[in-house]
Amino acid sequence: MTTNIQKVGVVGAGTMGAQIAMVCALGGYSVTLQDVSAESLEKGKQILDEQMQKRVAKGRLTAETVEAAFNRIKFTSFLEDLSDADIVIEAIVEKLEIKRELFSKLDKITPAHAILATNSSTIVSSKIADATERPDQVCNVHFFNPALVMELVEVVRGPHTSAETAETAMEFVKSINKLPVLLNKEISGFVANRILGKLMDEALFLLENGIASHEDIDLVVKKALNHPIGPFALMDLTGLDVNYLVRMQRYQESGDERDKPSKIVQEKVEKGELGRKTGKGFYTYDAAPAKV
């Protein structure tokens, strides 16, 4: 563990937030996972338990290690319970005004030395930092989905972020057994998602123009490009609502019609077909959550 950081706060008990909390707990940190919804907290805890039991069954972790990690996580619906956090990682909905409101509250609740980080890969921290009295301690710390599996984490230093904050965030990521990369300048989408976004745009273009089915496009990407998962299966995994909100955020920033969400994605979101979390997206799934 880093000497500066002993206690971690995570806001948002959805797929990303819950897994980030467990990653930190497995790294030895005391973690407070907060969500306004008691139902989301319970669901997050249940899914984490299922995922951890699978790891124990496969011999990847011992039952003692898992029990100790769960004992380090406090599940709460009260934001005030983050009052002793040394770093807070926000993993809530991709809506700027909601994030700004949250960071303003966190600024008043958390200790003066605490780093306030957003897991967003779309909303850069300079759009949030001035909602606080500590802009130099605000940055992006972007985990990839599923956070329990994916090794890489993008740490993004905005123009307001101090060198000390960026360095502490990098060391923190290393301490939870992840591989951090530092982006010295802000850019929406960062590195991985900007590259991936171009691939997804092209995949949707090919589908919308009847060139090939989504199944065959996924097959080509997996077998010809050697990706572990195709773009449509990946959109289902991360959630079509996430794809939609990210594109709407980009469109609102640029005003460029080409940045709008795909018509197919918009139609599926309107129908509530959000991917694995709802049992249907581009593919149809069992009720059970995705294996991680």
Side-chain angles (χ1 to χ4, degrees):
M1 293 191 288
T2 69
T3 53
N4 314 52
I5 297 172
Q6 302 298 325
K7 295 187 177 181
V8 178
V10 179
V11 181
T15 302
M16 286 303 295
Q19 291 198 24
I20 290 168
M22 179 54 75
V23 166
C24 295
L26 287 168
Y29 289 96
S30 295
V31 183
T32 300
L33 176 60
Q34 187 272 343
D35 196 294
V36 291
S37 164
E39 184 183 346
S40 293
L41 284 167
E42 188 54 42
K43 185 179 178 184
K45 189 175 184 179
Q46 180 187 340
I47 292 173
L48 280 178
D49 186 55
E50 290 170 3
Q51 292 167 341
M52 291 299 102
Q53 292 312 315
K54 286 175 187 174
R55 281 166 168 69
V56 172
K58 292 177 180 178
R60 294 179 188 169
L61 291 171
T62 66
E64 292 76 17
T65 298
V66 169
E67 184 182 4
F70 268 112
N71 287 338
R72 291 190 199 102
I73 304 176
K74 176 181 180 179
F75 296 81
T76 181
S77 55
F78 300 105
L79 200 63
E80 291 74 18
D81 287 343
L82 301 176
S83 62
D84 60 351
D86 300 305
I87 184 171
V88 177
I89 302 166
E90 166 270 313
I92 64 171
V93 65
E94 287 290 278
K95 291 186 176 178
L96 177 58
E97 60 275 15
I98 297 176
K99 290 183 189 291
R100 284 180 60 85
E101 184 182 350
L102 171 65
F103 272 67
S104 178
K105 289 178 181 176
L106 288 172
D107 186 44
K108 296 174 178 67
I109 291 167
T110 57
H113 68 270
I115 291 173
L116 304 180
T118 173
N119 182 59
S120 177
S121 65
T122 310
I123 298 173
V124 291
S125 67
S126 61
K127 293 184 179 296
I128 302 170
D130 66 344
T132 77
E133 297 295 326
R134 61 180 93 184
D136 58 316
Q137 292 161 232
V138 178
C139 65
N140 290 76
V141 177
H142 174 233
F143 291 77
F144 290 87
N145 188 20
L148 280 162
V149 176
M150 301 295 281
E151 185 182 8
L152 196 79
V153 176
E154 292 172 317
V155 175
V156 187
R157 182 181 178 187
H160 53 279
T161 309
S162 71
E164 182 184 0
T165 295
E167 185 181 334
T168 302
M170 290 286 287
E171 289 304 314
F172 169 69
V173 171
K174 290 176 189 173
S175 75
I176 54 174
N177 302 308
K178 297 294 183 184
L179 179 64
V181 291
L182 179 64
L183 278 67
N184 293 305
K185 289 183 181 179
E186 288 184 334
I187 187 167
S188 180
F190 309 152
V191 174
N193 282 345
R194 286 185 74 85
I195 294 170
L196 181 63
K198 297 296 183 187
L199 185 143
M200 285 185 171
D201 285 351
E202 191 61 29
L204 286 161
F205 170 84
L206 294 169
L207 178 63
E208 287 177 336
N209 285 275
I211 308 299
S213 67
H214 68 269
E215 295 95 339
D216 283 347
I217 294 168
D218 274 0
L219 188 63
V220 169
V221 170
K222 286 170 67 178
K223 298 300 183 183
L225 303 182
N226 207 27
H227 288 209
I229 187 171
F232 295 102
L234 182 58
M235 280 187 268
D236 275 2
L237 178 63
T238 56
L240 294 176
D241 53 332
V242 174
N243 179 282
Y244 176 83
L245 289 171
V246 164
R247 296 309 297 257
M248 282 304 294
Q249 176 70 30
R250 194 173 298 170
Y251 168 64
Q252 286 162 10
E253 287 179 11
S254 70
D256 190 334
E257 291 286 322
R258 292 172 298 181
D259 286 336
K260 273 188 172 180
S262 145
K263 189 176 179 183
I264 290 178
V265 169
Q266 183 172 340
E267 287 172 354
K268 286 193 172 293
V269 169
E270 287 169 356
K271 287 188 215 170
E273 297 174 1
L274 307 182
R276 284 184 178 265
K277 63 176 122 183
T278 59
K280 184 172 173 62
F282 286 102
Y283 298 91
T284 302
Y285 303 90
D286 295 332
K291 291 182 180 179
V292 176

